[in-house]
Amino acid sequence: MRGKAALVVGLVAGYVLGARAGRERYEQIKAQAEKVWEQPVVQGQVEKVKAFGVSALKSVPGVVWKGAKSVTGAASQSGTVSERAERAGRAAKASAHEVADAVEDSVDDAKSAEKTATTRARANKNSSTPSES
């Protein structure tokens, strides 16, 4: 599905950029694109992407930074080279697990946000559709 959407976007962009039909045709295409962008389904997808980006930005980089500090600290402690390497390896393994957990949490948050966005989009769609008497 993503491939089809990307193809359509590419074709539209190519046509708009290469069209010789003039300003009037450009304005027609632009108006159609704006109509599509404003549809609740499209905005629902936009909200999903935003929610995922925010959730990923909140936790993952901090966990990666904490892990890097942990590994560096373990390698910098006193002891033989092999002892320091072993401590750094254990710290790296623990950090990798923490990063994996943070990523899983981000994915779970994104799925939750997706459900919320889908529910909102459906509610918007239903509220914008006039009811029949």
Side-chain angles (χ1 to χ4, degrees):
M1 187 65 164
R2 290 182 189 156
K4 289 180 184 179
L7 176 64
V8 169
V9 169
L11 289 172
V12 169
Y15 181 77
V16 169
L17 294 174
R20 296 182 185 260
R23 184 74 177 180
E24 185 178 328
R25 182 66 181 140
Y26 167 77
E27 292 297 335
Q28 289 174 348
I29 293 169
K30 182 178 170 187
Q32 284 299 109
E34 287 173 356
K35 284 181 186 177
V36 170
W37 179 255
E38 295 300 325
Q39 289 186 0
V41 174
V42 173
Q43 288 304 308
Q45 294 298 323
V46 169
E47 290 301 319
K48 289 178 195 177
V49 171
K50 285 181 184 177
F52 179 75
V54 167
S55 67
L57 289 175
K58 284 182 181 177
S59 60
V60 175
V63 173
V64 170
W65 179 253
K66 179 182 168 192
K69 286 174 46 178
S70 173
V71 171
T72 303
S76 301
Q77 293 176 356
S78 62
T80 65
V81 173
S82 62
E83 289 172 340
R84 290 186 295 179
E86 188 175 319
R87 278 194 305 266
R90 284 194 303 268
K93 187 173 183 179
S95 296
H97 287 295
E98 289 178 20
V99 170
D101 290 342
V103 170
E104 286 178 14
D105 291 345
S106 292
V107 169
D108 291 342
D109 290 346
K111 287 179 181 178
S112 175
E114 177 182 3
K115 288 178 185 176
T116 302
T118 301
T119 302
R120 278 191 208 139
R122 286 183 182 148
N124 289 340
K125 182 179 179 184
N126 291 337
S127 66
S128 66
T129 305
S131 59
E132 295 182 18
S133 304

